[in-house]
Amino acid sequence: MKRLALLVLLLGIAPVSAGAQGLPDPGDFYLISRNADGEFLGSHKIFRRSSDGLRQVTYCNREYWVRPYTVAWTQLEVEKNREVRVEFNRSKGWRPICEQPEEQVTLKDLGIDIAPGEVTDDIAEPDNLASRFSAIGSAFRK
């Protein structure tokens, strides 16, 4: 009950869209990692348009734009025996739209010839990453 009251208070103080809070917006595409029971473990947003630092890839005959870090993360999740799929946010739940993206795009496809762990180790994590993932995880459980 205290958490609900705090949430209502915080939303009243700073009204912003879900996307501005780091939560997925309806229509967003994500690479989503799930365990064998289908429970959400993690995600990376993928984009339909180009932007700085993004590379064009194709998952299931559809073009997307991703960060090399995202491709490395995908490969690492699969190495941990997790299922990764491209999923679409329908606002009332998630729709899987592409299976086994790790077999369709690898770091080598991006011209990167180092191990996935080396790519992810080189990226500095922002301080608020844990709270952001917690908020995203809550949205995926709905």
Side-chain angles (χ1 to χ4, degrees), residues 29-54:
F29 292 86
Y30 279 78
L31 284 165
I32 296 179
S33 170
R34 297 183 184 275
N35 66 16
D37 295 331
E39 180 183 0
F40 170 82
L41 297 172
S43 68
H44 279 242
K45 185 172 182 177
I46 59 177
F47 305 89
R48 298 290 292 165
R49 286 181 270 149
S50 177
S51 187
D52 289 341
L54 300 180

Side-chain angles (χ1 to χ4, degrees), residues 27-32 44-51 53-68 70-71 74 85-89 94-102 104-105 110:
D28 284 348
F29 292 86
Y30 279 78
L31 284 165
I32 296 179
H44 279 242
K45 185 172 182 177
I46 59 177
F47 305 89
R48 298 290 292 165
R49 286 181 270 149
S50 177
S51 187
L54 300 180
R55 307 273 185 94
Q56 185 176 15
V57 299
T58 302
Y59 294 120
C60 294
N61 299 314
R62 253 181 126 162
E63 290 182 356
Y64 298 95
W65 295 84
V66 300
R67 292 178 183 86
T70 297
V71 174
T74 301
R85 305 185 291 211
V86 175
E87 296 189 24
F88 176 74
N89 180 358
W94 291 85
R95 177 176 174 240
I97 60 170
C98 186
E99 304 288 330
Q100 300 173 320
E102 74 282 354
Q104 299 174 46
V105 178
L110 302 180

Side-chain angles (χ1 to χ4, degrees), residues 7 13 19 43 48 52 55 57 69 75 84 111 114 119 139 142:
L7 179 61
I13 293 172
S43 68
R48 298 290 292 165
D52 289 341
R55 307 273 185 94
V57 299
Y69 178 85
Q75 291 178 247
V84 178
I114 61 175
V119 173
K142 292 181 181 178

Side-chain angles (χ1 to χ4, degrees), residues 1-11:
M1 188 63 155
K2 289 181 184 179
R3 286 185 182 179
L4 179 59
L6 180 59
L7 179 61
V8 170
L9 176 65
L10 290 175
L11 290 175

